[in-house]
Amino acid sequence: MNQTARAFARLRSLIERELPGAAPFLPGASERELDRLATETGLVLPAELCALLSVSAGQDDPDQLNGPLNYQHFLTIDEIIEMHRMLTDVVGDLATPVEQPSWFRWTVWSESWLPFLAFQGDCYFLDLDPGDRGTAGQVVSRPNVPDLDEPKAPSLTAFLARAADLVEAGHVEIEESTFVIPELS
């Protein structure tokens, strides 16, 4: 099991134990599904995302109510494709370059951003083409009305491990079947 899968297994165990009302996790994605995600988004998928989706291809949450991390649920392959397409089509034209050096290259939305957690327009995404100060694959929280802060973690593995660390250390509140983690907001 690689580091991403281990970090996710730790976090998933905490979610399943502490948040019994959370939507169930789906089985892992097949190579064919991962290929479809790459084709539909036009992106080369990071190995960390492939590792996560190979363990669990999101959550079975048709009503999208109160996901386990700051109300956001782990997106399915179809939800990642749809959210990426929608944000690229609807707000991608609003993106303007950011003066460098910065964590990001663009404001509002970039085709190189790949969401993996979401709730009502808010999302956490992987930035696959960061600014001069950023790192490829950094995790960023994007509110529905974007005002981007610095990245939450330099990688997906670091984000999952940090979330698990904060839950284990008690730096969370549980509200409506979600871990509210201010440090990751």
Side-chain angles (χ1 to χ4, degrees), residues 78-149:
D78 288 336
E79 290 169 333
I80 293 171
I81 292 168
E82 180 56 33
M83 185 168 209
H84 181 268
R85 180 179 295 134
M86 185 271 303
L87 287 168
T88 299
D89 292 349
V90 174
V91 297
D93 293 344
L94 302 174
T96 56
V98 174
E99 188 176 321
Q100 295 300 321
S102 174
W103 297 104
F104 315 103
R105 265 188 214 294
W106 302 96
T107 62
V108 187
W109 185 254
S110 168
E111 287 183 44
S112 64
W113 294 351
L114 198 55
F116 67 96
L117 279 164
F119 177 67
Q120 295 183 349
D122 294 352
C123 70
Y124 288 89
F125 65 83
L126 300 177
D127 184 354
L128 305 182
D129 186 26
D132 293 344
R133 291 183 60 204
T135 56
Q138 66 191 358
V139 174
V140 180
S141 175
R142 180 192 184 275
N144 193 18
V145 179
D147 186 14
L148 301 175
D149 289 328

Side-chain angles (χ1 to χ4, degrees), residues 159-176:
F159 176 81
L160 297 169
R162 182 73 178 141
D165 290 346
L166 291 167
V167 171
E168 289 174 345
H171 296 283
V172 301
E173 297 209 14
I174 296 176
E175 293 179 10
E176 302 178 36

Side-chain angles (χ1 to χ4, degrees), residues 55-83:
V55 174
S56 174
Q59 289 181 276
D60 183 15
D61 190 11
D63 297 325
Q64 297 183 359
L65 299 173
N66 302 333
L69 292 178
N70 291 332
Y71 298 98
Q72 300 187 37
H73 72 280
F74 285 87
L75 298 174
T76 65
I77 301 285
D78 288 336
E79 290 169 333
I80 293 171
I81 292 168
E82 180 56 33
M83 185 168 209

Side-chain angles (χ1 to χ4, degrees), residues 14-30:
L14 291 164
I15 290 167
E16 290 173 340
R17 185 178 69 231
E18 302 293 328
L19 304 173
F25 287 94
L26 297 169
S30 67

